Amino acid sequence: MLDQDLSRLYPDQEGYFQTATCQAMLRQILLLWCLIHPECGYRQGMHELLAPLLYVLHIDLQYLSHVRDEYEDCFSDEFHGVSLPEIELSSAYRFEKIMNMNTAATDKDGSVQEKSAKVTSLDELDPETKDIFLMSDAYGVEGELGVVLSEKFMEHDAYCMFDYLMNDANSVVVMAELFSPSPSIGSSTGLPPIIEASSAMYQLLSIIDSSLHSHLVELGVEPQYFALRWLRLLFGREFSLEDLLVVWDDIFSFPNLVSFPDKANESELGCRILCSPRGAFILAMAVSMLLQLRSSILATEYATACLQRLLNLPEDISVKKLIEKAKSLQSLARDTVFSCSTQGGIPGHQHGGRRGQSLSYGSSPVTPNLLSDSYWEEKWRLLHAAEELDKENCGDTVSSDMANGPLIGRFNLPRTASDPCPTDFQSENKNVGPSDTSTRVDRNHGIYRSDKVPRISATEESLCLEIEAETDYVEEHPDQDVIVKGLDVAEESRFNADNSLSTATSPHRMVNDHEYDSEDSSITSSSLIGRTCDEANSAENPCNTSIDKDENSIASSRSGQGPYSVEKHAAGLKKWKPLSGRFQWLRRFNRGYAEGNMGNRIAVEPQKSYVVADNCGSISGAPASDPCHNSYEVSRNIEDEDKNVIGTSGDPCHSSFEAHGEIEDEDKNVAGNLRGIAKAMLENIQVIESIFKQDQGLDGSKDSKSTTISGDGQAAAMAALEELRNISNFLSACDD
Amino acid sequence: MAAYRADEEYDYLFKVVLIGDAGVGKTNLLSRFARDEFSFETKSTIGVEFATRTIHVDGKLIKAQIWDTAGQDRYRAITSAYYRGSVGALVVFDLSRRVTFENTARWLQELRSHTDPNIVVMLVGNKADLRHIRAVSVEEAQAFARKEKAFFTETSALESINVADAFTGVLTQIYHVVGRKVLAIGDDPSALPIGQTINIDMKDDRQAANKAGCC
């Protein structure tokens, strides 16, 4: 069996693995390991874990001989008078290895060290040799480079590395376990570790991209079908050897120890792999690969096709990108450890009470096997109806809206936007009447807006520079538009989190917040402008909320303007903190989304028009900042937070309620710096315009459906732009 | 959307598993059937691999989802998942290595314990091209297959002998047994629930369908 596997090892590689020496070495190492670990025995695939290790050693060795050839003079000079220079040399490397690695201590090290001490002193005397070490290092893969370079010890080293990888007592990720058919000790699930690890990966996926997760579940794609190979071989079959070594570099660069010792014991074993940074990274890497294949997976209709894609990754896949994303997902992966430990292994979003509150609906995939397509559709319809109702009785059914929102946003967005996936849901979405469409599109805004808006308000002070830089970038990488923004959002949210008070939020306060938010959201941006300048109309309001509703809300906002708004400020600040956590999540989600759906403009396009509306809010919020910096901070926090809430809740109506209040305050303070406002507005307009121009350039490449939708959005946005310009002119005139 | 459907059209969708000891040629058997390819440098299968091919039987389009399992992963909690929902199985052995033939009894046992006992099974003696080192006689294998109520055929993935016949035979038999009434999938693939138990009424024509190998 072993021989058979070995003969089938990397047949497409350029020959090294099929050489007699290599095969003999592999066989000896594997046989020895199996004899020492009879409880494991040889399992297919182990050879493919060992082979890359050996390969690295081999390459290093080759490089050493290359260096030695080149510096032969130096070497012979160096070791002049020493009877066996080659051995001495290898000892020197060996010694360094011991210093660096401390893992490959074999019995022979004692004698080696004596010799190497001698050589090391020579080494210190002669800078030439040091250079060679340095060169070896510069070439190498990791710290042990320039180190392992003795043919004599190559096999020993490989064995030690393999053994350490397979079966280290202190490690969390023990590869041997992944090959084991029986549950490991302490497992509460009674399942083989590989299956537990696979389902831990699905848990992670359900948090990061619930729609992809539910699609896989619906197809009946069990995680172990593909994850078994991914994980057992540490992705050895999924990438070329060259790429694999890059991936392994990252995997092995993360410590493999339990990072939350207290949690590890109580948490389910399914999550235990997540307890170490390395385990978390491995699973994050797997999820990252899934996200990379997202659109392709969503396009499949049955399990086999899907699995075929999962087990035959496209060759042009960018390993660097995968790793980057995996790293960004890693911390989230580790967060799930906590959720596991608090919920008994059930994947969820209950990261403590407050975040749990905001994300609880997102955790529906907790029972993924029970969720069918029809379930989601039904759910969606119910929520949709609830929201419609909510709009009419604004303020009354608020909390349900708040609670339902995240789900709508999360679920609807990827489904709508992504794609070729021919589900009923899709077709329904595309065939709906105009009014319906606008609402759904607005939901898409929900999420996107939350990305974009903070960016704009963040850049208000240093607007020109940053925007220009960013616009350039966007023009270069139009596809990564959303990602860029997502990153900005992250910065912004961090910034705000710093600013915000760390007061704990009481449940009572949270309830209040909901009410405020709903009120806010019922006021459209158009009504705000209307009040400010009597000029704006619903043109810039992509959702057809009726005017009288707006007036209602405004009335209520007026009545509550005094102490009421102050209280609101406080509430907003207190609520910010939990939201920032969610924001981080959104960022990740969006990154995944954006990469999975490159070039899809349906959602991205109409979003532009929303920026306009939001921008108005930002601008009207700005005046407050000038007279009173402190209150500016407050209002900005609230405003961002407000948008955040609305964005997440998927409510189409945007509001600048607080900002509006600030304007009133500002009137009392005597209109100062009106010119500044005008300028800020103008700058914002420029921003929007620049985005637009770029978008128009892309119009040609869009498919017809997205063009019609985006066309509407654009028209509205352009009209809004016009209004903005008028306002700015008007304000400038006033100042004069 | 329509473009996706175009090459996904079929009347029936059958899941078939390929099992047998490591190195008997399951993967090459599959690649020969699905893509008409053969490689001497096939990596060992880790976990499970997949391929599909659509064939015509009685004017119907039958899509076969073939699960190519790893030879070593026997008797695992993991592998039981592989058998789930399969309506046909090819139990492969290497007729130049007797031990792989002897192990088919255990494979069949495992298969029966995880699937509907009436699943359509075909015993496949692969590597028929290695006639000079044959270790299992046709008669012996045939007798064993009869005892196990399975079809038998000998194939050579290398020389492309009988490979398509073996798969087509299994699929045709599934089609005949399952018929329209049980697995009327139509054009909605999601209508095939994973793990559905299908009553397969094995008929006496099994013996008639038994085929001798190429030799």
Side-chain angles (χ1 to χ4, degrees):
Chain A
M1 166 84 83
L2 202 162
D3 286 345
Q4 196 171 30
D5 273 352
L6 288 183
S7 65
R8 293 196 282 177
L9 174 71
Y10 287 116
D12 47 350
Q13 217 55 43
E14 63 283 351
Y16 171 68
F17 292 111
Q18 294 303 325
T19 59
T21 27
C22 175
Q23 291 268 314
M25 224 182 294
L26 287 165
R27 181 180 301 114
Q28 216 160 326
I29 294 168
L30 287 169
L31 279 176
L32 183 60
W33 192 87
C34 295
L35 288 175
I36 292 177
H37 304 278
E39 74 281 3
C40 298
Y42 174 75
R43 300 269 172 244
Q44 280 188 319
M46 286 180 180
H47 64 303
E48 287 187 36
L49 283 175
L50 172 63
L53 298 175
L54 204 61
Y55 181 72
V56 171
L57 297 179
H58 169 72
I59 289 295
D60 289 348
L61 195 65
Q62 272 191 334
Y63 185 69
L64 170 70
S65 54
H66 173 70
V67 172
R68 200 155 48 204
D69 288 348
E70 228 166 74
Y71 294 89
E72 204 162 358
D73 293 342
C74 161
F75 273 97
S76 48
D77 286 343
E78 183 64 36
F79 298 110
H80 180 68
V82 180
S83 53
L84 289 168
E86 199 177 321
I87 289 174
E88 295 296 337
L89 178 71
S90 60
S91 303
Y93 283 111
R94 183 71 192 170
F95 179 67
E96 206 181 56
K97 172 184 168 126
I98 291 157
M99 300 294 284
N100 288 345
M101 273 185 76
N102 208 20
T103 55
T106 65
D107 292 340
K108 304 189 178 177
D109 283 350
S111 60
V112 169
Q113 274 180 11
E114 282 177 23
K115 288 181 189 170
S116 59
K118 197 163 64 185
V119 181
T120 314
S121 59
L122 287 172
D123 176 22
E124 282 164 7
L125 292 172
D126 189 72
E128 285 284 312
T129 318
K130 274 185 187 169
D131 284 346
I132 295 167
F133 286 136
L134 287 175
M135 284 176 69
S136 302
D137 273 343
Y139 169 79
V141 193
E142 316 235 274
E144 66 262 39
L145 245 269
V147 178
V148 187
L149 305 172
S150 161
E151 258 177 86
K152 271 182 177 299
F153 298 110
M154 184 173 171
E155 199 174 312
H156 309 75
D157 290 346
Y159 179 82
C160 291
M161 288 160 79
F162 181 66
D163 187 42
Y164 190 70
L165 170 67
M166 291 299 288
N167 199 16
D168 183 70
N170 298 320
S171 302
V172 173
V173 182
V174 181
M175 292 311 292
E177 275 188 0
L178 295 185
F179 284 94
S180 156
S182 53
S184 53
I185 304 141
S187 165
S188 51
T189 55
L191 293 169
I194 183 69
I195 292 186
E196 289 178 337
S198 305
S199 36
M201 185 199 72
Y202 255 30
Q203 286 177 20
L204 185 59
L205 178 67
S206 73
I207 293 166
I208 290 160
D209 190 337
S210 64
S211 67
L212 182 59
H213 174 258
S214 56
H215 180 75
L216 286 169
V217 169
E218 282 161 25
L219 288 181
V221 177
E222 294 180 33
Q224 70 263 28
Y225 289 161
F226 59 94
L228 184 133
R229 192 174 88 186
W230 286 13
L231 299 179
R232 266 193 188 172
L233 302 186
L234 286 176
F235 311 110
R237 283 278 174 91
E238 323 309 323
F239 304 109
S240 68
L241 186 57
E242 199 181 314
D243 286 342
L244 176 66
L245 293 178
V246 177
V247 174
W248 278 22
D249 279 354
D250 279 292
I251 290 176
F252 296 141
S253 69
F254 288 108
N256 196 12
L257 302 171
V258 177
S259 43
F260 327 100
D262 50 330
K263 292 282 172 191
N265 291 332
E266 55 183 89
S267 55
E268 294 286 310
L269 203 95
C271 291
R272 213 192 70 182
I273 192 169
L274 292 168
C275 289
S276 81
R278 186 185 296 178
F281 178 77
I282 291 170
L283 293 193
M285 185 72 193
V287 170
S288 159
M289 285 157 69
L290 283 171
L291 292 176
Q292 182 72 33
L293 294 171
R294 186 177 199 281
S295 52
S296 156
I297 294 170
L298 286 175
T300 57
E301 295 174 46
Y302 53 93
T304 313
C306 182
L307 287 163
Q308 274 179 287
R309 292 177 199 216
L310 288 171
L311 290 175
N312 298 287
L313 266 67
E315 284 179 9
D316 56 352
I317 210 160
S318 160
V319 183
K320 284 214 171 83
K321 249 168 81 181
L322 283 176
I323 292 173
E324 255 171 53
K325 205 195 287 175
K327 281 179 178 163
S328 72
L329 298 175
Q330 191 187 11
S331 59
L332 191 70
R334 293 172 65 188
D335 281 352
T336 58
V337 172
F338 293 106
S339 72
C340 288
S341 58
T342 53
Q343 295 186 7
I346 297 167
H349 305 254
Q350 310 288 338
H351 302 236
R354 287 177 293 167
R355 280 182 72 185
Q357 187 267 340
S358 61
L359 289 171
S360 56
Y361 267 74
S363 65
S364 303
V366 161
T367 51
N369 290 316
L370 304 173
L371 301 182
S372 63
D373 227 0
S374 55
Y375 169 85
W376 286 108
E377 263 184 61
E378 186 68 15
K379 187 108 188 158
W380 187 87
R381 279 202 200 95
L382 284 171
L383 294 174
H384 183 69
E387 199 184 352
E388 291 290 311
L389 195 75
D390 183 42
K391 263 190 234 158
E392 277 156 41
N393 316 320
C394 65
D396 290 341
T397 53
V398 180
S399 36
S400 76
D401 181 27
M402 263 304 285
N404 292 340
L407 176 62
I408 295 170
R410 287 180 63 193
F411 182 62
N412 192 20
L413 173 65
R415 283 287 202 161
T416 322
S418 66
D419 53 297
C421 176
T423 63
D424 293 342
F425 190 93
Q426 289 292 308
S427 49
E428 182 200 0
N429 210 354
K430 278 165 187 162
N431 297 331
V432 284
S435 66
D436 235 344
T437 310
S438 70
T439 337
R440 291 172 195 218
V441 166
D442 289 338
R443 284 201 182 123
N444 285 339
H445 294 174
I447 282 193
Y448 278 95
R449 201 154 34 108
S450 63
D451 272 350
K452 275 207 120 135
V453 174
R455 178 177 68 89
I456 287 170
S457 50
T459 49
E460 259 175 308
E461 287 127 320
S462 58
L463 195 75
C464 292
L465 280 178
E466 202 173 328
I467 291 298
E468 266 166 34
E470 195 169 317
T471 312
D472 287 345
Y473 180 71
V474 166
E475 273 164 13
E476 278 169 29
H477 312 277
D479 283 347
Q480 297 184 350
D481 207 342
V482 182
I483 302 173
V484 175
K485 266 134 220 172
L487 291 171
D488 285 345
V489 170
E491 281 164 29
E492 171 71 0
S493 69
R494 249 180 256 126
F495 173 64
N496 280 315
D498 290 341
N499 280 345
S500 67
L501 306 172
S502 56
T503 325
T505 311
S506 71
H508 175 65
R509 181 62 79 191
M510 290 301 279
V511 172
N512 282 343
D513 285 344
H514 291 173
E515 283 165 13
Y516 297 147
D517 290 332
S518 72
E519 250 169 335
D520 298 345
S521 55
S522 65
I523 306 171
T524 63
S525 48
S526 67
S527 74
L528 168 74
I529 304 277
R531 277 182 55 81
T532 318
C533 303
D534 295 327
E535 276 178 5
N537 53 29
S538 60
E540 57 197 296
N541 181 8
C543 80
N544 306 321
T545 326
S546 61
I547 301 294
D548 53 344
K549 234 181 275 169
D550 295 343
E551 280 167 4
N552 265 345
S553 324
I554 289 161
S556 70
S557 76
R558 255 193 211 142
S559 66
Q561 242 165 28
Y564 188 64
S565 63
V566 174
E567 191 188 354
K568 196 181 298 169
H569 288 181
L573 280 174
K574 283 176 184 177
K575 213 167 96 186
W576 175 257
K577 213 179 176 191
L579 279 165
S580 69
R582 187 169 59 184
F583 220 146
Q584 291 279 356
W585 176 86
L586 270 172
R587 177 180 72 93
R588 294 196 182 97
F589 179 79
N590 273 327
R591 288 188 63 183
Y593 168 76
E595 289 192 24
N597 299 280
M598 296 285 188
N600 186 312
R601 310 298 298 184
I602 297 179
V604 178
E605 196 48 48
Q607 161 203 2
K608 306 297 181 196
S609 65
Y610 236 99
V611 176
V612 178
D614 290 334
N615 219 11
C616 299
S618 305
I619 293 160
S620 40
S625 74
D626 295 325
C628 173
H629 185 69
N630 201 19
S631 89
Y632 166 69
E633 287 295 331
V634 169
S635 77
R636 224 181 76 176
N637 268 334
I638 285 171
E639 193 169 311
D640 289 343
E641 184 263 351
D642 178 35
K643 284 164 191 159
N644 209 356
V645 169
I646 295 165
T648 322
S649 70
D651 194 305
C653 305
H654 169 68
S655 142
S656 294
F657 181 85
E658 289 87 354
H660 180 70
E662 292 298 338
I663 284 184
E664 299 286 312
D665 290 345
E666 210 239 348
D667 284 340
K668 286 170 202 156
N669 282 333
V670 184
N673 288 335
L674 269 178
R675 189 175 283 145
I677 305 165
K679 202 175 167 185
M681 289 180 97
L682 200 65
E683 284 166 352
N684 278 291
I685 292 165
Q686 284 164 353
V687 176
I688 301 159
E689 278 177 345
S690 69
I691 295 167
F692 255 110
K693 274 174 197 153
Q694 182 225 337
D695 262 350
Q696 280 167 337
L698 290 168
D699 267 355
S701 63
K702 271 178 272 167
D703 62 60
S704 55
K705 255 174 202 139
S706 63
T707 316
T708 51
I709 292 173
S710 66
D712 292 346
Q714 274 194 352
M718 287 312 263
L721 267 177
E722 205 50 50
E723 296 302 334
L724 265 175
R725 204 177 278 284
N726 290 340
I727 297 161
S728 115
N729 291 340
F730 172 75
L731 285 173
S732 311
C734 276
D735 201 36
D736 290 339
Chain B
M1 208 176 292
Y4 274 103
R5 275 293 158 88
D7 51 342
E8 303 286 342
E9 265 174 22
Y10 50 84
D11 299 310
Y12 296 95
L13 182 66
F14 296 141
K15 174 177 167 182
V16 174
V17 288
L18 267 175
I19 53 177
D21 278 4
V24 297
K26 294 181 294 298
T27 303
N28 267 316
L29 213 52
L30 180 56
S31 69
R32 176 63 82 190
F33 175 64
R35 299 180 297 275
D36 200 20
E37 289 170 3
F38 181 89
S39 167
F40 283 104
E41 306 178 325
T42 313
K43 296 178 184 178
S44 42
T45 305
I46 307 295
V48 61
E49 285 168 18
F50 309 88
T52 55
R53 186 176 155 183
T54 307
I55 61 163
H56 292 264
V57 176
D58 294 350
K60 296 283 183 189
L61 274 178
I62 294 183
K63 186 166 192 122
Q65 302 180 338
I66 301 153
W67 291 42
D68 172 24
T69 63
Q72 204 197 9
D73 273 326
R74 207 180 342 164
Y75 307 126
R76 303 287 161 74
I78 303 156
T79 43
S80 63
Y82 299 156
Y83 300 123
R84 214 169 287 157
S86 55
V87 292
L90 277 80
V91 183
V92 188
F93 67 93
D94 175 353
L95 49 73
S96 69
R97 285 193 293 152
R98 186 161 183 88
V99 63
T100 63
F101 172 68
E102 283 159 2
N103 281 336
T104 53
R106 289 155 69 193
W107 281 110
L108 283 164
Q109 190 190 351
E110 156 133 330
L111 180 71
R112 307 259 192 227
S113 68
H114 286 105
T115 59
D116 186 292
N118 288 322
I119 182 173
V120 176
V121 179
M122 181 175 275
L123 190 66
V124 177
N126 194 30
K127 306 198 184 178
D129 47 284
L130 300 175
R131 16 190 107 73
H132 50 291
I133 50 169
R134 167 188 282 273
V136 183
S137 73
V138 177
E139 294 72 28
E140 189 184 1
Q142 237 167 6
F144 176 71
R146 204 168 293 132
K147 194 183 111 216
E148 290 287 333
K149 295 191 165 79
F151 301 98
F152 172 70
T153 191
E154 290 190 355
T155 60
S156 167
L158 172 63
E159 294 178 358
S160 189
I161 298 165
N162 260 343
V163 176
D165 289 349
F167 283 98
T168 312
V170 168
L171 292 170
T172 308
Q173 190 58 30
I174 297 170
Y175 168 75
H176 285 149
V177 168
V178 168
R180 295 154 189 81
K181 49 184 193 290
V182 186
L183 263 189
I185 295 161
D187 53 1
D188 183 9
S190 62
L192 177 64
I194 301 295
Q196 176 180 347
T197 305
I198 294 157
N199 280 324
I200 301 168
D201 181 26
M202 298 301 280
K203 294 173 189 153
D204 290 334
D205 62 355
R206 176 180 299 119
Q207 308 304 331
N210 279 355
K211 287 182 272 185
C214 59
C215 306

